[in-house]
Amino acid sequence: MRQRLANQMLHRILHTGIHVAVLMALPGAAKAARLNYDIGASVMHSDNINLSQDDPIDETVLAPRLRFTFDHSSSVLETALRGDFQYLDYTGGSYDNDLRGEFAGALDWTMLPERLHFFARDSLSRQSVDSLVAFTPGNQQQINVFEAGPSLYLRFGEAMRSQIDLRYTNSYAEETETLNNDRYNLAARLIRDLSPTDQLSFNLEATQTDYDSISEFYDYKRYDGYFTYNTALSSVTMNIDAGYSELEPRSGESASSPLLRAQIEWQLMPRSKLLANLSYEFADATQDLILRADQPVPPVNPGNPGIGNPDNPDLQIVPDIFKQKRGMLGYEYEGDRLNVLVQPYYEQLRYIRDDSFDQNSYGGQASARYQLRQTWYLNLLLARQQREFIDASRDDRDTTIGAGLEARFSRHWGAQFDYQYRKRDSNVGGQNYTENVVALAFTYFR
């Protein structure tokens, strides 16, 4: 299975390279395309790589690594790609050597200007197989989500227009085959410009989801109707969806719920801003992975280059739908030498079929990056999370502390030393652990 995923990732890298080469060969594309990459290798040592309470294993990992970003913009095509691939060599043999990758890409092709576009995006991420046990190298899997389809635009005047979206989405999990599904979505939108900065739209969506296995239990139809309000002022941007959703499972009773999504960004001062994200809606693992692929890469992510950090190792990789309540606040400061990001959050999940995963979680993270000298940087990270499982009467408290020293020796060469401490306190026997990790990486930057 892992070899098959490795071949798929290599296939993806090859296609990305061909895509970049074709775009660079187009007339004028070289000016519009930006390709950045770095190639490096790291050595990492963990004093408890299996995250065991009673039987920790020391392990040293060697990891060559390739990271890249590619952006292209022209009158007919916009493309944004980013990838991070590494091969992990466990020198002590505690786990099988492994090729891992994370990828996010989006393409917007203007087939007919102001009339017809074709949209596609793909994300490959690492998630846990079983989120109730520690996120060890043996409890990880790759999950790929691909989405594509056309959008038709019609204009009824200077301030009124409509949009029709047709989307196909495929989800594939390396280990959790019950997650694999195909979904088909049709959305109709009526959009009105209220002013140069304000916009209001009415949206109707219908989604059919078909799972590859146990489809008689998890297939469902979903219908959404909601208003969207967007505003973009000099210091505040706001996007709000408000409406209603209805689920019609293939088996079982139908369910309905209000729908609310809000993203707010407030520029307090030239160097600092407040962020807020709120949601109250039906969701599932595939939808969460799609939304996470749209999130920007964190500006500060000190940690271990050998193991890395997935988007969300606590995401339940199951086909069940849940009702989600989530709130996140953020403060971001970008100075000449100091960058700071603080993000507390609260989340409540209630599953439709299996309440054993029902949970409340809260916590947050604080990260900082400080320029010590012209080419020397100090990275710091503190993250804390508490999960309370309602039905299982289980509480997990996870703490991560990270510190890293980064140096650039020249335009193309750099090195980084990282330390990371992880700890879990749980009221379930055998689930406690502590881990200390040190890593040294050398990198060539294009």
Side-chain angles (χ1 to χ4, degrees):
M1 181 66 73
R2 290 188 179 276
Q3 186 60 43
R4 183 172 64 180
L5 229 336
N7 292 336
Q8 289 177 349
M9 285 191 287
L10 290 174
H11 189 65
R12 185 183 308 283
I13 296 174
L14 177 61
H15 270 265
T16 300
I18 294 174
H19 185 190
V20 172
V22 170
L23 289 174
M24 295 295 286
L26 293 174
K31 296 181 180 179
R34 298 182 302 276
L35 172 64
N36 294 300
Y37 66 85
D38 59 76
I39 301 173
S42 65
V43 55
M44 181 273 294
H45 181 79
S46 168
D47 66 356
N48 186 10
I49 198 165
N50 57 332
L51 302 180
S52 171
Q53 177 175 321
D54 302 315
D55 189 22
I57 297 176
D58 280 13
E59 179 63 277
T60 299
V61 183
L62 303 178
R65 186 175 198 171
L66 167 66
R67 289 179 291 194
F68 68 88
T69 61
F70 174 79
D71 297 283
H72 170 268
S73 180
S74 70
S75 59
V76 296
L77 186 65
E78 291 189 5
T79 308
L81 310 173
R82 71 174 189 265
D84 185 346
F85 298 90
Q86 54 186 328
Y87 180 79
L88 305 182
D89 181 359
Y90 296 90
T91 61
S94 57
Y95 294 95
D96 293 336
N97 296 344
D98 197 7
L99 175 64
R100 294 185 191 156
E102 297 178 15
F103 174 85
L107 176 148
D108 188 348
W109 174 26
T110 303
M111 304 176 70
L112 294 174
E114 299 184 356
R115 286 290 181 267
L116 184 63
H117 285 220
F118 184 83
F119 175 81
R121 63 178 170 184
D122 188 86
S123 67
L124 180 71
S125 64
R126 291 186 298 113
Q127 304 294 333
S128 59
V129 178
D130 183 355
S131 65
L132 299 181
V133 298
F135 191 67
T136 66
N139 184 36
Q140 300 182 20
Q141 62 177 326
Q142 302 272 186
I143 296 181
N144 191 83
V145 180
F146 172 77
E147 180 184 11
S151 292
L152 176 65
Y153 303 91
L154 300 173
R155 183 170 286 277
F156 305 119
E158 290 297 323
M160 183 76 75
R161 61 190 183 278
S162 66
Q163 178 178 334
I164 299 175
D165 300 326
L166 180 63
R167 297 287 185 266
Y168 164 74
T169 303
N170 173 264
S171 302
Y172 172 79
E174 179 184 6
E175 300 288 346
T176 311
E177 296 182 357
T178 54
L179 182 74
N180 298 348
N181 68 82
D182 299 291
R183 59 187 65 195
Y184 311 88
N185 174 269
L186 175 64
R189 315 183 194 280
L190 186 62
I191 307 165
R192 181 172 180 81
D193 295 327
L194 304 177
S195 72
T197 60
D198 294 358
Q199 184 184 90
L200 181 66
S201 65
F202 177 63
N203 311 269
L204 292 174
E205 295 191 33
T207 305
Q208 169 73 47
T209 300
D210 299 323
Y211 285 91
D212 294 356
S213 59
I214 57 173
S215 58
E216 64 274 15
F217 293 105
Y218 290 107
D219 286 2
Y220 68 90
K221 295 179 180 179
R222 172 174 173 169
Y223 303 98
D224 300 295
Y226 57 95
F227 288 93
T228 298
Y229 174 71
N230 299 322
T231 185
L233 303 176
S234 59
S235 60
V236 177
T237 59
M238 182 166 51
N239 303 285
I240 298 177
D241 297 331
Y244 215 73
S245 300
E246 182 173 347
L247 291 177
E248 293 186 0
R250 182 174 173 181
S251 63
E253 299 181 355
S254 60
S256 59
S257 170
L259 182 154
L260 175 64
R261 295 185 291 253
Q263 300 86 40
I264 303 171
E265 182 176 310
W266 179 18
Q267 193 76 39
L268 297 172
M269 293 180 287
R271 295 183 180 275
S272 62
K273 60 185 175 182
L274 286 178
L275 312 169
N277 287 280
L278 304 173
S279 64
Y280 182 94
E281 61 178 331
F282 287 124
D284 59 23
T286 296
Q287 178 178 314
D288 259 23
L289 291 171
I290 292 173
L291 294 176
R292 292 174 195 281
D294 288 336
Q295 300 301 312
V297 179
V300 180
N301 189 21
N304 131 38
I307 294 178
N309 295 306
D311 287 336
N312 181 8
D314 299 319
L315 179 63
Q316 317 293 330
I317 305 302
V318 295
D320 202 358
I321 303 167
F322 52 83
K323 184 179 290 186
Q324 179 187 59
K325 298 178 182 178
R326 180 178 175 87
M328 186 278 291
L329 295 176
Y331 172 78
E332 185 175 338
Y333 173 82
E334 295 185 3
D336 293 331
R337 301 181 65 181
L338 176 66
N339 292 350
V340 176
L341 178 63
V342 181
Q343 290 181 313
Y345 81 95
Y346 173 82
E347 183 176 51
Q348 181 187 98
L349 305 181
R350 297 295 183 266
Y351 284 80
I352 300 300
R353 287 187 172 274
D354 185 358
D355 60 6
S356 61
F357 289 117
D358 287 359
Q359 61 183 273
N360 301 325
S361 63
Y362 55 91
Q365 73 171 36
S367 57
R369 178 179 175 87
Y370 181 71
Q371 184 178 9
L372 298 171
R373 298 173 59 184
Q374 184 175 1
T375 58
W376 288 77
Y377 301 88
L378 175 66
N379 298 323
L380 300 173
L381 172 69
L382 173 62
R384 175 77 171 180
Q385 174 182 265
Q386 180 159 343
R387 291 191 300 166
E388 302 172 350
F389 292 90
I390 308 304
D391 187 63
S393 299
R394 171 176 174 172
D395 293 342
D396 292 343
R397 294 173 297 281
D398 296 315
T399 302
T400 301
I401 301 173
L405 185 62
E406 178 183 347
R408 291 292 291 266
F409 305 125
S410 66
R411 177 184 174 185
H412 296 293
W413 288 98
Q416 184 168 340
F417 177 80
D418 289 304
Y419 168 76
Q420 186 181 86
Y421 169 82
R422 290 197 292 174
K423 180 180 181 181
R424 168 169 290 181
D425 294 311
S426 176
N427 63 354
V428 176
Q431 295 300 316
N432 297 320
Y433 64 79
T434 60
E435 181 196 30
N436 293 278
V437 175
V438 292
L440 178 63
F442 293 92
T443 305
Y444 170 83
F445 299 91
R446 178 185 181 273

